Amino acid sequence: MKRPVQALLLLLTGCGLLHAALFTDLYLRYVKHGQRPLLVTAGAVLLALGLTGVIRTRERRLPYDGPAHGDSPAGDGGLAHDGHEHDGPAHGDSPAGDGGSAHDGHEHDAHGHDHSRAPRIAWLLLLPALSLLFYAPPALGAFTAARSNSKVVAAQRSFPALPATSPLPMTLTGFTTRIQQDRSRAIKGRSVRLTGFVTPAGERGGWYLTRIIFSCCAADSQSVKVRMYGTEAPPADTWLAVTGIWHPRGTLGTRTAEAALDVRAVRPMSPPVNAYTDDLPVTPS
């Protein structure tokens, strides 16, 4: 990969990051919202480096105006035409010293290795750079949730009274915590509404309502799931608002209670902006 292509790669990557972070919400597929300033900064730096590389490449291609006819190219200590001693390099020596440039204009070290080109494997970096601009990788979904670690629900000693709203909007984590830790069993018989996407339950059949949660980025994602009963599994990755009551399995208020719902109503919804948190949707469904 030659220098002009290296500069192009930097330009494409910088433009891709700025496009994803400034003009779209694509970056939310890969990192949390708080990482946006870092992505914008990184994109700007890469863009500046790419532009610098382009300028330097153009400067190197400009023709060199050599010394005027009759002038000595070596100055006061240059090679004289009458055969007298001179201070220039001996025949065959590199004019730039141990790390100088070869006569063909490429950079070489003392052993003749060319450092003006990156390894061929660097061509693979063009793929993610182009994908950010023309075809961003899809968001994480059921495939990832079925294979990722389940988020551990934090211990909670006290619980506030539940609002009288029915159905009661809850997060999947909040519902699970109430089911397994609330000794007052306030959730029993209450109609709740949960939102998430469909994850098939595998060999056992059935399905889960799922949320994937980023601690920082997609690499450390965890999932929280609530098992659904009483209806056939919709297509995987379908976003739904599900209304129902706790499915009685295990002892309510203890760790034996299953985070599960007897489904009463299902409504399709658009993926929320805050898809990789376990918050209630911030946009109308």
Side-chain angles (χ1 to χ4, degrees), residues 169-180:
M170 298 187 74
T171 65
L172 302 189
T173 301
F175 178 76
T176 302
T177 305
R178 283 278 184 176
I179 292 298
Q180 297 181 346

Side-chain angles (χ1 to χ4, degrees), residues 12-83:
L12 288 175
T13 305
C15 289
L17 284 177
L18 292 176
H19 168 72
L22 280 180
F23 306 109
T24 70
D25 292 325
L26 290 176
Y27 74 99
L28 291 175
R29 297 182 181 182
Y30 320 115
V31 298
K32 294 184 69 173
H33 182 270
Q35 304 295 323
R36 187 176 193 177
L38 296 178
L39 290 181
V40 173
T41 301
V45 170
L46 290 174
L47 193 62
L49 290 174
L51 290 173
T52 301
V54 171
I55 294 172
R56 293 185 63 184
T57 300
R58 289 177 59 87
E59 289 177 348
R60 290 184 180 185
R61 290 183 175 179
L62 291 176
Y64 170 69
D65 295 331
H69 181 69
D71 293 340
S72 172
D76 294 336
L79 175 65
H81 294 286
D82 58 1

